[in-house]
């Protein structure tokens, strides 16, 4: 598997994402790809890390959505390649219309940085197949604008089509339905606010993030298995 970690001005979790992919999967290639790149066509999976792209001065993800690399990210998403956006990466996917809904400020208008309980709501995606349905995970959050919002029709569609991948075990930031992560309709694009790349080793308090990355790798491996 060839993986791309997109680096925007202000990304600060790109190295953590790189570490997660290089040390805990058998990916053949993991590249840090600058936002100025014109194409990511050569990669099998694309990862948008957390941080503060362009300083979040306008609205989180609103400027990054227009970075040169994003047209290619959108094109590869339409081909069905796995695209993961974490925290600021999730916000960029929303701004790019690869996922529905929007982010508001946390309900208490405070930045939060702590570890929370997260439920696996759908263990049948290319990002979650190494988890058990309904499993309780421990993952860090670090955001001021993670209050996921969508209209009622979109929320009902997300539920009806099993597109809610993760929920918080409690009301962390005011998100509708305690949503922590959703997929697109095809299931190959996942946005999530908790940071799996910061939950890779017990030394850091949790290794519950590992299986998200191994899920993506196994999905690619199974799709390219030689059967004859």
């Amino acid at each position: 598997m060839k993986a791309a970690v997109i680096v925007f001005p202000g990304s600060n979790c790109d190295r953590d994402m790189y570490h997660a992919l290089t040390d805990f999967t058998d990916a053949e290639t993991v590249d840090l790809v600058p936002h100025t790149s014109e194409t990511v066509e050569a990669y099998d999976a694309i990862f948008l890390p957390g941080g503060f792209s362009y300083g979040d001065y306008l609205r989180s993800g609103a400027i990054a959505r227009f970075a040169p690399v994003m047209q290619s990210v959108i094109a590869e998403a339409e081909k069905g390649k796995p695209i993961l956006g974490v925290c600021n990466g999730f916000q960029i996917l929303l701004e790019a219309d690869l996922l529905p809904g929007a982010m508001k400020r946390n309900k208490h208008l405070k930045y939060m940085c702590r570890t929370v309980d997260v439920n696996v709501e759908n263990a049948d995606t290319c990002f979650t197949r190494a988890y058990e349905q309904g499993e309780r995970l421990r993952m860090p959050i670090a955001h001021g604008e993670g209050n996921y919002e969508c209209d009622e029709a979109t929320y009902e569609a997300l539920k009806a089509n099993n597109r809610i991948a993760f929920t918080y075990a409690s009301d962390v930031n005011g998100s509708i339905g305690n949503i922590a992560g959703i997929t697109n309709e095809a299931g190959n694009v996942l946005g999530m606010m908790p940071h799996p790349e910061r939950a890779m080793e017990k030394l850091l308090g949790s290794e519950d993030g590992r299986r998200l990355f191994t899920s993506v790798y196994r999905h690619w491996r199974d799709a390219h298995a030689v059967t004859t």
Side-chain angles (χ1 to χ4, degrees):
M1 182 177 81
K2 297 179 180 178
V5 178
I6 309 298
V7 182
F8 299 93
S11 295
N12 62 19
C13 298
D14 42 6
R15 295 287 176 177
D16 300 283
M17 196 78 83
Y18 181 88
H19 168 66
L21 287 160
T22 54
D23 288 13
F24 297 98
T25 76
D26 290 324
E28 173 188 356
T29 300
V30 182
D31 288 334
L32 294 169
V33 177
H35 69 290
T36 52
S37 294
E38 296 291 337
T39 179
V40 284
E41 186 177 8
Y43 297 97
D44 303 301
I46 300 161
F47 298 81
L48 279 62
F52 301 90
S53 58
Y54 297 89
D56 285 351
Y57 289 123
L58 177 60
R59 185 178 63 241
S60 299
I63 302 177
R65 177 260 179 275
F66 295 102
V69 74
M70 285 304 297
Q71 286 302 313
S72 184
V73 171
I74 293 169
E76 298 312 305
E78 292 173 349
K79 294 176 183 176
K81 292 182 181 178
I83 311 288
L84 170 66
V86 172
C87 198
N88 193 221
F90 186 6
Q91 294 159 342
I92 295 169
L93 293 177
L94 293 171
E95 293 288 343
D97 291 329
L98 284 173
L99 293 171
M103 287 294 178
K104 300 188 301 184
R105 295 274 295 167
N106 296 337
K107 64 177 182 178
H108 297 306
L109 304 180
K110 294 180 179 177
Y111 183 87
M112 296 188 297
C113 184
R114 57 190 172 92
T115 299
V116 299
D117 290 334
V118 175
N119 298 323
V120 178
E121 295 291 338
N122 184 359
D124 189 25
T125 79
C126 63
F127 304 95
T128 57
R129 287 185 181 137
Y131 294 113
E132 298 292 331
Q133 183 73 27
E135 186 175 352
R136 179 70 57 87
L137 311 175
R138 293 281 290 168
M139 287 191 188
I141 58 169
H143 59 251
E145 195 171 309
N147 182 354
Y148 177 76
E149 182 64 44
C150 63
D151 60 34
E152 190 63 27
T154 300
Y155 180 52
E156 292 301 323
L158 290 174
K159 290 194 295 183
N161 294 292
N162 293 321
R163 291 170 57 187
I164 301 174
F166 299 106
T167 59
Y168 301 109
S170 61
D171 184 3
V172 168
N173 52 24
S175 293
I176 184 171
N178 291 337
I179 284 176
I182 59 171
T183 69
N184 65 342
E185 190 169 354
N188 65 299
V189 178
L190 169 66
M192 60 187 296
M193 290 310 293
H195 287 265
E197 80 284 2
R198 295 185 187 176
M200 302 299 289
E201 298 165 274
K202 288 184 178 178
L203 179 66
L204 300 178
S206 173
E207 55 186 14
D208 286 343
R210 286 189 186 186
R211 284 176 286 163
L212 190 145
F213 295 96
T214 55
S215 291
V216 177
Y217 175 76
R218 290 173 186 173
H219 169 77
W220 173 85
R221 182 192 62 190
D222 293 347
H224 293 81
V226 177
T227 57
T228 59

